Amino acid sequence: MYQGGYTGKILRINLGSQTAKVEETPEPMANDFIGGAGFGIKLLFDEVKANTDPLGPDNKLIFASGPLSGTNVPCTSRMSVTSRSPLTGAVGMALSGGYFPVELKWAGYDAMIIEGKSEEPVYVSIKDGDVKFRSAKKLWGMKTTDTQQIIKNDLHDQNVRVACIGPAGENKIKIASIINEWRAVGRKGLGAVMGSKNLKAIAIRGTGKVAVADKEKLKAARKVFTEAMKESEVLYPVFANTGTPMVVDATSAIGIFPTRNYMTTGEYNAAETLGVEVQMTRNVGSEPCYGCPVGCSQLKLAKTGAYEGILTEGPEFETMYSYGGVTGVDNIDAVIAADRLADELGLDTISSGVSIAFAMELYEKGILTKEDTGGIELNFGNDQAMITILKQMAYRQGIGGLLADGTKAAAEKIGKGSEKYAMHVKGLELPAYDVRGAKAHGLNYATSYTGADHCRGYAFQEIFGIPVPYEVDRFSAEGKGKLTKWNQDIRTATTDAPGMCAFLFDMAVVGIAAQNTASLLEAVTGLTFTPDDILVAGERINNLARAFNVREGFTRADDTLPERILTEPLKGGASKGNYISRDELDLMLDEYYTARGWDVATGAPSREKLAELGIEYVADQLN
Amino acid sequence: MYQGGYTGKILRINLGSQTAKVEETPEPMANDFIGGAGFGIKLLFDEVKANTDPLGPDNKLIFASGPLSGTNVPCTSRMSVTSRSPLTGAVGMALSGGYFPVELKWAGYDAMIIEGKSEEPVYVSIKDGDVKFRSAKKLWGMKTTDTQQIIKNDLHDQNVRVACIGPAGENKIKIASIINEWRAVGRKGLGAVMGSKNLKAIAIRGTGKVAVADKEKLKAARKVFTEAMKESEVLYPVFANTGTPMVVDATSAIGIFPTRNYMTTGEYNAAETLGVEVQMTRNVGSEPCYGCPVGCSQLKLAKTGAYEGILTEGPEFETMYSYGGVTGVDNIDAVIAADRLADELGLDTISSGVSIAFAMELYEKGILTKEDTGGIELNFGNDQAMITILKQMAYRQGIGGLLADGTKAAAEKIGKGSEKYAMHVKGLELPAYDVRGAKAHGLNYATSYTGADHCRGYAFQEIFGIPVPYEVDRFSAEGKGKLTKWNQDIRTATTDAPGMCAFLFDMAVVGIAAQNTASLLEAVTGLTFTPDDILVAGERINNLARAFNVREGFTRADDTLPERILTEPLKGGASKGNYISRDELDLMLDEYYTARGWDVATGAPSREKLAELGIEYVADQLN
């Protein structure tokens, strides 16, 4: 019996039969996979068979908060959404915050599995045990802000929280996001999975509480945690005021903020036009997630030209990169406008921006012509063109239609050697951070189970110079295998699974993360978790996710980086001259697979490793 | 002591001192002015001295619901907002529905008087007796939907209802509106008055109830009312499904739907491109006001081209005219997009559309050139130009800046005889209905205390052929004076003052309106109201409003119509050949002043009439 943290219930929603049932959360799953992304990946591996069409009725979409979500532990309103990604074919797992994650817990569920496909557009409304299927025929085509408001009105309840898709998800754009309020489940095309199921939205409200096993113990653990937060030199003093866009300055300073589709020459200093000083002139307040005393989420209001009066949350650092640096757009107000537009349409800001930057380079190289673009002058820096194409993407129109499923699909259609300018791994567009100047970060992009993903094994050692667990040289390939394994496992186990904001990890508890997570989990759940258990759970989840990908046919050959990263030295800035050679990548992969106990030739988890992690059954499905 | 309907309290908010106090609603005011617009005009006349700058701190803004608002009488969530209009200099009174009006009552107030000017942007939050002044510095510049959501988040209360201004109001555009949810206090520039006071928004929530004096009596009165609603051949069978835009068809059929700035040739049949059949292809649901079983408010979603995915409420009939017919735009999706944009910017749809149509005619006539428009090809039917200029208006940019304060101000700036194409009365742009084919409606435009206003004395006899109180010939000028007086008085007394939706009057109780209102008011308030009392109250309110205007210097000479209406016969359609000659206007005015007991030479209320109505004190201020 669960004592706290877990509700012990999983809600299974079948859209085909329009039925809902409640199942028990298996107790071993709590111990072994913690929750959140751990649950998502466990359920995905077990329930979604190999070669399932990501946009077919047999794919599933698993929402899961963590055991800490919904308690009074700060910064724990987080959830994972897991599916087979239509963009990559690999595990599609993305995280989001806001209020939806705690409502899911308060409604009584550790996780929610959505399966099947509705014949007609629907939305699901959940209030505690009451699950209803409601027609979304009239909502089909609406943008995300309107959708959320109309659903609140429809339910006569302004207090529900709504996760929904926009036109992009409806049109099964493979870079479509899921939006709830100012938050996005942004990457890997999970919005398209919702669209493929004719599921416009999920509205949820919970009136329950999450039990805590040992309140005194939690008080103590919480104190250690909040004291660590207070001691951080970054969290409250800087991050609370500026949010993630401060990273524009930090990465520009070390020469790894990519500009112009990674042709980065160093002549264009993004920090001057998009950095914190400029951003703060647009700042109009903060919209924290539930229970967050920091409030990194910053609202910005565009001030000039055609963009005047457009409000957005963020744009987060990644979006400053995707609609700013990488497209060569240096107009902060255009970035604000594009960000809001993408959220309204339900498009991933990273993948959409990088796809447009890709097209810009092809246009400048003459591989795409004005005929291809429908008359748009698609040069770097053309903010109006960017915004026009963003809109086209959501509706598969014009040149936007060509780019709508990301750079990999676009390059396949375009041919003419364009693939070498396509900045993706496994089909997922590169987030910010030019990994030619941060090689462990590059190895993470190459090996992360979701494709090029900064959220899986963020190499803060290289980017911020934080010497945990040890100091590293960001330009060196050596020693990065073991580091990347550690980065991936600890991040998974201390943030993605328990339902904890990753920024807390980076900025407050990086040195004590495993201990902190173990203490909080023990206090909240009443189960036993040592710091080592935490790291092993992280490793288990990463192995299972890798196994899912192997089962889908992914091999070492897929653990690679875009050709530009592997062949073109950075032309300017503080990382000038660096790149990751193929030899370096191979060295890092060898080290990484070895550290992981995986087959160095194939990149597949060994039976021994899987057995050691208590999931030997998985090995039977890999051959 | 008040027994029901009235809360007996008026909230006075001073923005200069940031203080709020509660005053008693004077009991005679209830009997004599009923509430709503009646209270607004009484308070305006008494508190806002002659020659007060409409955009100065001495102007006031009076929100008032009616005694029926907040009770269980259907369709009574209505409020008036009254001020000296910056657009006309006359009484600025406009009505709105939604939920805000009932919240005001539930919070405990019959009316709310806003006076003074805040030094810095503020918003006022009201929860019952708790009134707070909160900084709106960060909200300044935001569009209206965002403003409302951010305020809800700021107050941690998703259930407040927010009335706010957009950039247009902030920039004191004299055709700025006040927006609450899908509802607008649209006309006469009341949004600019809020802007001039540095008041971005008012957030309100009430938890009280409105008492009812005699519940049994109300039950009976309510039954008569709701039965009449059910018997209407229009209200539920048609109006509930289509809302106001059905009037496009009705007015097109009788040749009074104006097209191309009233150059209407009849060749362009608006019903074919903007009529009900087309509109229903965009319909995506209904958003009724509080307590309304009809739900005329229809949501529409644009489907094509650049407008795809844009949602709006309406566009109401008047907006189909202002962004459709009169600008020659025949693209329903462009009208939808323009409507949403105007609501987001906080611009009156009627005045802004008519002002753009005015500029279109000047452009086609060569009075405005491409140099004046900044390169915009401002021909009739250019929907993109319309949308560009709408946005410019809110920020006083380009040609939009020239048009931002309406046609009268624009004509004064442009000169070159442009005034004769400016379709306004007293500075207020004409609503739909070409009054050349509906002459009492024209007389109402000429004499209404707010300028050309379809909401004051709607001549349903001419437009829908309803023979109440008697049958009329819409092409005749004779007999329209008495009719217009009746139309104005009964509309004021049965809808604007008690807080009742005007559509109920037109469609359900037109024949029994005075009796119905008297019965409902007696039951709810416990005061005595005969049907005759109702009509006299309507007359009293209209006299007082007229007196306000006379005190501001308005005379018979201002009771006129645009030159085109007075000189150019309609060129096509079912009213072809008709116009209102100057002689006809004079005849109608003579009849009207006589019926009103006003001085025929000056149009001023006589001391005798004012004494008869119990407001002789007013006469002392008119000389």
Side-chain angles (χ1 to χ4, degrees), chain A residues 20 154 208 210 223 291 307 388 392 408 412 522 546:
Chain A
D154 191 35
V210 177
K223 193 170 178 199
Y307 308 118
T388 301
Q392 289 181 338
K408 187 177 177 220
E412 281 165 12
E522 285 204 334
R546 179 73 177 195

Side-chain angles (χ1 to χ4, degrees), chain B residues 10-14 23 43 47 60-63 111-115:
Chain B
I10 293 174
L11 179 64
R12 186 180 295 273
I13 291 171
N14 189 297
E23 301 172 0
L43 293 165
E47 298 200 11
K60 303 192 181 187
L61 199 62
I62 302 149
F63 289 70
M112 167 167 71
I113 303 168
I114 294 166
E115 53 191 27

Side-chain angles (χ1 to χ4, degrees), chain A residues 483-551:
Chain A
L483 181 73
T484 298
K485 173 189 182 294
W486 190 84
N487 281 344
Q488 291 174 345
D489 290 348
I490 197 157
R491 175 67 77 108
T492 298
T494 64
T495 71
D496 304 353
M500 171 67 77
C501 174
F503 297 139
L504 275 291
F505 172 79
D506 295 335
M507 296 186 197
V509 298
V510 63
I512 55 162
Q515 177 62 61
N516 181 60
T517 305
S519 307
L520 290 169
L521 282 180
E522 285 204 334
V524 167
T525 69
L527 302 173
T528 303
F529 287 100
T530 66
D532 195 52
D533 288 340
I534 297 298
L535 271 164
V536 172
E539 187 177 7
R540 187 178 294 116
I541 295 164
N542 274 285
N543 272 265
L544 187 58
R546 179 73 177 195
F548 180 91
N549 291 349
V550 169
R551 195 174 63 179

